[in-house]
Amino acid sequence: MFSKKADLSNNPKLDTERIPAHIAIIMDGNGRWAQARHLPRVAGHKQGMQTVKTVTMAASDLGVKVLTLYAFSTENWKRPNDEVSYLMQLPIRFFKTFVPDLVAHNVRVMVMGDISRLPGATQQAVKDAITDTSKCTGMILNFALNYGSRDEIVRAVKSIATEVQTGQLSPNNITEQTVSDHLMSSPLGSLADPDLLIRTSGEERISNFLLWQIAYSEFVFTDTYWPDFDGQALQKAIIEFQGRHRRFGGLKNN
Ligand code: IPE
Ligand code: IPE
Ligand code: MG
């Protein structure tokens, strides 16, 4: 019997030496997946949670260093109360059933976003998952939870302004690195910027995700709804990434 790991590296088109270090995913299409099955939207979120587990393991097996998943945006509070409540319960269920597997795979949980607005039990589940996996040295599973990039940038600007006001920082010394260091992705250090950004469900927009960090990310859009996404789909996106020429403003061969 082949292990899952062997299955995943089996695709001859995939260059296992050139796996993107940081993959970010806008997990979209849960509601439409459910509606297509005449199910309530929350059934899509439930199935989407299973996909998070599958894709986390697939990414970890492939040697991805950071997997950032957009789970709840600062704009998602606009949804009906019952849907928001369901989404707020999901991290509790997710971590309760999945933290032992994460530890077994040496995966460390981190979070970007203002979790202080989440219900107490959700905050606790998130904090426990961060603590319980804090010694893991493998892939970082980074959830964007109550995250919005404009909110992130406003907070960074406020914090930089305060440092200037108190004399800790001179405006002349503000660099791109200063800005990066004040964003919610700063704990990721040199891995803060995604190499590959994937959005599922056919929508081709950013929806307030990682505006600063995606300056030179490669984008892959797929029509697949998030609950149908899997390890094979992840490999397909990585193969597409591997066919791109990243120039960062320079020329192809320099
Ligand atoms: C993504 O699926 C999950 C979240 C935004 C929380 P959606 O719930 O946006 O699904 P669609 O886009 O309505 O199909
Ligand atoms: C983006 O999806 C947010 C998450 C995936 C968490 P949305 O479904 O909220 O985005 P829009 O409203 O289609 O732009
Ligand atoms: Mg959506």
Side-chain angles (χ1 to χ4, degrees):
M1 177 106 160
F2 293 107
S3 73
K4 203 174 174 187
K5 191 166 186 163
D7 285 347
L8 280 171
S9 51
N10 231 354
N11 190 325
K13 288 194 205 140
L14 186 75
D15 181 350
T16 53
E17 302 297 310
R18 289 175 54 236
I19 300 295
H22 182 172
I23 300 179
I25 308 183
I26 303 175
M27 309 184 287
D28 199 15
N30 291 351
R32 280 165 284 165
W33 179 93
Q35 276 158 356
R37 285 161 180 74
H38 307 288
L39 295 169
R41 288 179 54 84
V42 294
H45 297 314
K46 187 177 177 199
Q47 193 59 39
M49 184 180 84
Q50 297 306 323
T51 305
V52 171
K53 294 182 182 179
T54 307
V55 171
T56 297
M57 289 314 173
S60 165
D61 285 348
L62 285 167
V64 172
K65 292 195 162 38
V66 179
L67 179 66
T68 297
L69 299 178
Y70 203 6
F72 192 88
S73 78
T74 47
E75 287 73 42
N76 286 146
W77 296 106
K78 293 176 192 164
R79 296 187 180 200
N81 285 339
D82 55 349
E83 182 170 343
V84 170
S85 302
Y86 190 89
L87 288 168
M88 288 298 138
Q89 297 309 307
L90 270 188
I92 303 173
R93 287 214 243 165
F94 176 82
F95 289 125
K96 196 176 265 177
T97 53
F98 200 45
V99 163
D101 287 343
L102 291 175
V103 172
H105 281 75
N106 201 21
V107 174
R108 178 174 175 192
V109 174
M110 292 178 72
V111 168
M112 286 179 9
D114 179 11
I115 66 162
S116 71
R117 268 200 71 192
L118 309 185
T122 310
Q123 285 185 47
Q124 197 55 52
V126 170
K127 286 178 191 160
D128 289 347
I130 292 171
T131 308
D132 294 347
T133 62
S134 62
K135 295 206 165 56
C136 295
T137 55
M139 189 179 82
I140 292 169
L141 175 59
N142 183 36
F143 282 103
L145 203 50
N146 191 22
Y147 171 87
S149 197
R150 288 186 167 186
D151 172 62
E152 173 187 43
I153 290 168
V154 168
R155 288 168 193 263
V157 169
K158 279 187 186 161
S159 152
I160 293 169
T162 305
E163 287 177 29
V164 169
Q165 194 179 35
T166 56
Q168 293 163 266
L169 182 65
S170 154
N172 288 332
N173 291 336
I174 296 174
T175 62
E176 291 188 6
Q177 192 59 47
T178 314
V179 176
S180 295
D181 290 346
H182 287 79
L183 296 175
M184 291 167 174
S185 51
S186 68
L188 299 171
S190 63
L191 292 172
D193 297 349
D195 300 288
L196 168 60
L197 174 77
I198 300 169
R199 184 169 187 149
T200 59
S201 90
E203 308 297 349
E204 299 189 355
R205 57 176 170 266
I206 299 304
S207 302
N208 204 9
F209 192 42
L210 302 175
L211 299 178
W212 173 274
Q213 297 88 338
I214 58 171
Y216 273 104
S217 303
E218 295 294 331
F219 293 2
V220 170
F221 298 105
T222 166
D223 287 341
T224 306
Y225 293 144
W226 176 249
D228 289 328
F229 199 83
D230 58 11
Q232 293 301 321
L234 179 69
Q235 282 196 41
K236 207 171 152 238
I238 295 174
I239 290 166
E240 196 170 331
F241 167 86
Q242 290 177 340
R244 306 270 178 92
H245 295 287
R246 301 182 81 190
R247 289 184 283 278
F248 301 98
L251 299 179
K252 196 172 167 182
N253 295 314
N254 71 359

